[in-house]
Amino acid sequence: MSRIDKIIEELLGTSQSLENVCNYFGISAKDLTENEIKEIDEEIFQCDGCGWWCETSERNDLCGDALCEDCLYLEVHQD
């Protein structure tokens, strides 16, 4: 398993920061290459609403925000 796969696995379904997860694996987020960042972005995204890392299939764009299913529902169904 590559270091990016490990980072993705550790982030998915959490609200941890990329920096903290990288530090956990003994690397700096600043040392990730552009391709590695792209690979993370292609697999998961961080919801602009709640900060959780979700699968890209759960991504919804609303007025420029990338939201998970739960945050989209809350935005659309606010009283």
Side-chain angles (χ1 to χ4, degrees):
M1 181 179 282
S2 74
R3 74 180 186 168
I4 295 304
D5 290 335
K6 290 177 183 177
I7 289 170
I8 290 170
E9 187 175 284
E10 189 70 24
L11 285 173
L12 194 57
T14 72
S15 60
Q16 299 181 77
S17 72
L18 178 60
E19 185 72 35
N20 286 344
V21 170
C22 286
N23 288 340
Y24 174 77
F25 290 113
I27 59 174
S28 170
K30 294 175 185 176
D31 292 335
L32 295 175
T33 67
E34 189 174 320
N35 284 338
E36 289 173 323
I37 297 291
K38 184 178 176 186
E39 186 176 344
I40 292 169
D41 286 345
E42 288 174 352
E43 293 294 321
I44 59 175
F45 79 99
Q46 188 171 22
C47 176
D48 292 333
C50 64
W52 280 67
W53 292 87
C54 305
E55 294 184 21
T56 55
S57 63
E58 296 177 22
R59 180 186 177 132
N60 300 279
D61 292 315
L62 181 67
C63 301
D65 290 330
L67 302 174
C68 67
E69 295 288 330
D70 292 337
C71 288
L72 177 67
Y73 180 85
L74 291 174
E75 284 291 322
V76 172
H77 294 91
Q78 282 183 350
D79 291 328

